[in-house]
Amino acid sequence: MTVASIIGGGVIGGGWAARFLLNGWDVRVFDPDPEAERKIGEVLANARRSLPGLSDAPLPPEGQMTFHADMAEAVQGAAWIQESVPENLGLKHKILAQIQAVCDAGAVIGSSTSGFKPSQLQEGSNAPGQIVVTHPFNPVYLLPLIELVPSPANEAGFVEKAAEVLRSIGCYPLHVRAEIDAHIADRFLEAVWREALWLVKDGIATTEEIDNAIRYGFGIRWAQMGLFETYRVAGGEAGMKHFMAQFGPCLQWPWTKLTDVPEFTDELVDLIAGQSDEQSGAYSIRELERIRDNNLVAMMRALKAQDWGAGAILKGHDARLKAGTELVATAADLTEPRPVLTCARAVPLDWTDYNGHMTESRYLDAFAQSTDRFMELIGCDAAYIAAGGSYFTAETHIRHIDEVHAGARIEVRTQMLQGAGKKLHLFHSMYEGARLLATGESFLLHVDLTTRRSCEPGPQVLEGLALMRAAHGALPYPEGAGAAIRRP
Ligand SMILES: NC(=O)C1=CN([C@@H]2O[C@H](COP(=O)(O)OP(=O)(O)OC[C@H]3O[C@@H](n4cnc5c(N)ncnc54)[C@H](O)[C@@H]3O)[C@@H](O)[C@H]2O)C=CC1
Ligand SMILES: C[N+](C)(C)CC(=O)CC(=O)[O-]
């Protein structure tokens, strides 16, 4: 198992630990805070309820997490070392030197620094090419962006190796080609934060009004198209040139405080903290994290359906996860005398409901995916359907036997009860591990898609059905098959 070492397990180190662990890495943590294990445990609990529910593919089995009082023990043998200690250059130099004294020469040392340049972090190091900035965004276990900032001391092959590791754990490494204070994204965040502080200090808006100005408008727009694509559209048919001609002159008007930072007096801090308490004090930080995570998962899954922005990254990671696992049966399994594996997937967060478990309509969704896979296995594949033959479902009966929650890995196994002529009768059983969760029974009729009438299947499907009959014909009739809801 590949090992990631987390040096500093606060807000950001805890998020990195969760991302590596849930993507199958063993994680070793070094943090002198006696509360570190509890704090990481709470971050991990939030990650476990949201990250596996982001994907349609199951994540690999979780790695093992261990806590170490000795840094050398945490670092030796690790392929990736992530430094996430407080933002203080002196402290980071000290920690990086301690890491490099004991780590493997081939390990990547990523720093979470929000503002320091890699060449600043590398000062005084004997092996500067091993240290690179990998700046994440909170929550690290959900947001894909990592600003990967090398200095001239980092070789191209090393940077690509680091990028590949980041991709493998579902991240989007944005290669920042020239090192600069605060990289790319934090420059925006600082500018927006500065303006917001002025607006509160000058009594123009409260913290809540500022948040509303972001989340009800341009914040949603930015989440899917960023800045320049949004403004291109805003230029209308004339596009970006027109937009710049129209709004460029405004930049000269006194709209912004530009780089002035309001003085951080006790009065300003109390004003902001007081308004923030009024706005959000009804929730604990962990509750706010869970609300944030639910919203982020829902937004990214919506973008995934559009194959756009962060959703396209998620789609790519799902494809990678699926390729890495033996998900469903192959045609060779048609001859085995046992139900066929037709679906293996995760339960996404948006498949769950107000009762805190997988909602009823999604059982049909999963069973429909199994039926589609079964059709494919017997030869009713995309080409066959395009040529005009397919199956229509005529009747379905679902039994809910046990609960299942977001992030769980579920499998569906399918037994063919009848497969002759036009008729196809399937019995799906859904499991989490050995636990039976539900059964779904479907009766289908083969149809001609041109006439929309039932008809005999073509030779390719008849052959598939014959194979399946030979394999499943002698299996016992499953418990619960052929049942209906009886009159009381
Ligand atoms: N909080 C944020 O929104 C973001 C922070 N960052 C960066 O991540 C880094 C860490 O920030 P946070 O997690 O927010 O800080 P934090 O204060 O939550 O966590 C820092 C952790 O480092 C530990 N620590 C202190 N001295 C240590 C030592 N000698 N060895 C090992 N661990 C030690 C502390 O006990 C604490 O758990 C900073 O460089 C920051 O700029 C990056 C992205 C976002
Ligand atoms: C405020 N901050 C500079 C620590 C923010 C970041 O570095 C990134 C983030 O997650 O917003």
Side-chain angles (χ1 to χ4, degrees), residues 162-173:
E164 191 42 37
V165 171
L166 292 168
R167 282 184 212 108
S168 75
I169 57 170
C171 295
Y172 175 78

Side-chain angles (χ1 to χ4, degrees), residues 114 135-138 186 189-190:
S114 299
H135 176 235
F137 291 78
N138 193 29
D186 272 354
L189 295 178
E190 294 293 303

Side-chain angles (χ1 to χ4, degrees), residues 192-265:
V192 172
W193 196 39
R194 223 166 23 231
E195 286 303 312
L197 291 175
W198 278 118
L199 290 170
V200 177
K201 182 179 162 54
D202 293 347
I204 310 294
T206 62
T207 56
E208 184 166 8
E209 286 162 347
I210 289 170
D211 286 349
N212 289 346
I214 296 172
R215 64 184 151 193
Y216 299 151
F218 69 86
I220 309 183
R221 223 167 49 185
W222 279 359
Q224 47 83 49
M225 273 194 173
L227 180 73
F228 285 110
E229 212 159 44
T230 296
Y231 280 172
R232 182 184 177 83
V233 179
E237 285 179 14
M240 187 56 102
K241 279 198 171 160
H242 172 64
F243 182 86
M244 294 197 45
Q246 186 174 195
F247 296 107
C250 305
L251 295 176
Q252 306 299 327
W253 300 350
W255 272 18
T256 69
K257 296 273 185 179
L258 297 172
T259 53
D260 289 351
V261 180
E263 199 188 332
F264 263 51
T265 57

Side-chain angles (χ1 to χ4, degrees), residues 8 10-12 30-33 84-87 92 95 112 114 135-136:
V11 173
I12 294 304
F30 172 74
D31 189 318
D33 178 1
S84 306
V85 301
E87 189 76 349
K92 289 196 188 273
I95 294 293
S112 300
S114 299
H135 176 235

Side-chain angles (χ1 to χ4, degrees), residues 118-119 122 127-131 150-156 158-159 179:
S119 56
Q122 293 162 351
Q130 193 181 18
I131 301 169
S151 80
N154 300 114
E155 285 179 7
F158 169 86
V159 178
E179 50 174 342

